[in-house]
Amino acid sequence: RMKRFLKGQTSEVVKELQVKMMQFAADKNFEAAAKIRDLVLSIDKSTIKQNVEFTDCLDRDFISFVRHNNKAYFVRLTFRGGKLRDQNEVVFSAEEFESDAEVMEGFLLQFYEKVDELPREIYIPCELENTEDIQSYLLDLFEGQLTGRQTTVSIITPQIGDKKKALDIAHINAKNFCEKQKIEKMSQEENFAKALPELAQALGFEIPPRRIEGFDVSHLSGQFPVASQVVFIDGQPQN
């Protein structure tokens, strides 16, 4: 695999590793699966740095996602001054009745409320129904923060060229992010399945506890008491 990777056969190597990763996960060997996951992410990052760079020095974001059950797994690649600066991973709600365009629109409206800067161009994999309205909303959101040169933001769905290539890389990373989350969830469920019976045994319960509540009360010399509660159902924390 190393020889093939050095020859540029990256996609084939990554596919093989992903298959092996899922086999380990299916066998509940989560530690081995996590190691392969990290290897795949390292390959993706090295590929991005080698193959994607823009000479015009514009600030751009490339955003893609994959869907699984009722969630969308987003990855944003941040290019500043034409070079890759950062990658963000976000899990977002995506109900079955929502189209990809609706999910993407909702993500854009909520995500950019939480970041510090607006790029000149945002590249996404699907056409939106309200592109101009969203562009206007983003400009209004960052009013007063934009430099004198930036008066517009463009949301674009590329079809060919380097922009499409960068967006494809974001999509690959989104798939890897989704697989990583699946493995972590399976690992967590496995840990809960083992931990609850052990807890029941330690406490002398006949069956594992289904609901666990914890309380904490704080005060200042007996004044201004404040209480908090946490709840776990079947070992899972509840919001």
Side-chain angles (χ1 to χ4, degrees):
R1 287 199 185 104
M2 179 61 72
K3 290 179 180 178
R4 287 157 54 209
F5 171 73
L6 294 174
K7 289 180 180 178
Q9 299 171 0
T10 308
S11 60
E12 295 178 9
V13 173
V14 168
K15 287 179 182 178
E16 290 178 10
L17 290 172
Q18 288 174 331
V19 170
K20 198 169 186 66
M21 178 178 69
M22 296 311 296
Q23 288 174 343
F24 278 130
D27 295 336
K28 298 184 178 180
N29 189 350
F30 299 113
E31 184 177 351
K35 288 181 179 179
I36 294 182
R37 173 203 69 200
D38 294 340
L39 178 58
V40 170
L41 292 175
S42 296
I43 291 174
D44 288 338
K45 289 180 180 178
S46 69
T47 303
I48 292 170
K49 291 177 182 177
Q50 292 170 15
N51 294 343
V52 181
E53 189 169 308
F54 301 102
T55 58
D56 56 12
C57 298
L58 287 182
D59 293 345
R60 297 181 172 96
D61 285 353
F62 293 84
I63 302 173
S64 191
F65 68 98
V66 297
R67 301 175 69 158
H68 178 67
N69 293 335
N70 290 329
K71 296 186 182 298
Y73 297 84
F74 278 86
V75 162
R76 177 183 74 149
L77 299 181
T78 304
F79 285 78
R80 296 296 179 262
K83 297 184 179 183
L84 179 66
R85 296 301 184 197
D86 199 4
Q87 172 174 302
N88 304 116
E89 299 173 341
V90 179
V91 181
F92 194 75
S93 175
E95 300 295 337
E96 293 181 0
F97 59 83
E98 293 181 293
S99 67
D100 285 353
E102 290 173 319
V103 173
M104 176 60 75
E105 181 175 319
F107 175 81
L108 293 174
L109 294 176
Q110 295 186 41
F111 179 80
Y112 281 98
E113 287 183 343
K114 300 177 175 64
V115 299
D116 297 329
E117 56 184 355
L118 182 68
R120 182 72 63 87
E121 297 173 349
I122 301 172
Y123 289 84
I124 61 175
C126 54
E127 298 281 355
L128 303 180
E129 295 182 4
N130 306 299
T131 301
E132 292 186 2
D133 291 340
I134 295 176
Q135 290 174 168
S136 297
Y137 171 80
L138 294 178
L139 286 173
D140 291 342
L141 192 64
F142 285 86
E143 185 179 7
Q145 302 179 37
L146 301 178
T147 64
R149 293 184 301 169
Q150 182 173 356
T151 58
T152 63
V153 58
S154 298
I155 299 175
I156 304 166
T157 302
Q159 303 300 322
I160 58 174
D162 289 342
K163 312 301 190 311
K164 179 64 166 60
K165 181 179 178 181
L167 190 63
D168 289 343
I169 293 173
H171 185 70
I172 291 171
N173 288 2
K175 289 197 293 185
N176 290 336
F177 175 46
C178 179
E179 296 301 327
K180 178 179 71 173
Q181 292 294 305
K182 288 182 190 177
I183 291 172
E184 290 180 355
K185 186 175 186 297
M186 287 188 288
S187 178
Q188 190 178 56
E189 289 173 350
E190 179 76 4
N191 289 335
F192 286 146
K194 293 178 180 178
L196 288 177
E198 292 177 0
L199 177 62
Q201 184 178 8
L203 296 176
F205 293 168
E206 293 183 0
I207 59 174
R210 183 168 186 276
R211 181 183 180 95
I212 301 172
E213 298 183 7
F215 294 88
D216 180 58
V217 180
S218 300
H219 60 84
L220 293 174
S221 301
Q223 300 291 318
F224 312 108
V226 176
S228 60
Q229 177 194 30
V230 293
V231 178
F232 293 81
I233 305 294
D234 294 326
Q236 297 275 7
Q238 302 298 297
N239 294 330

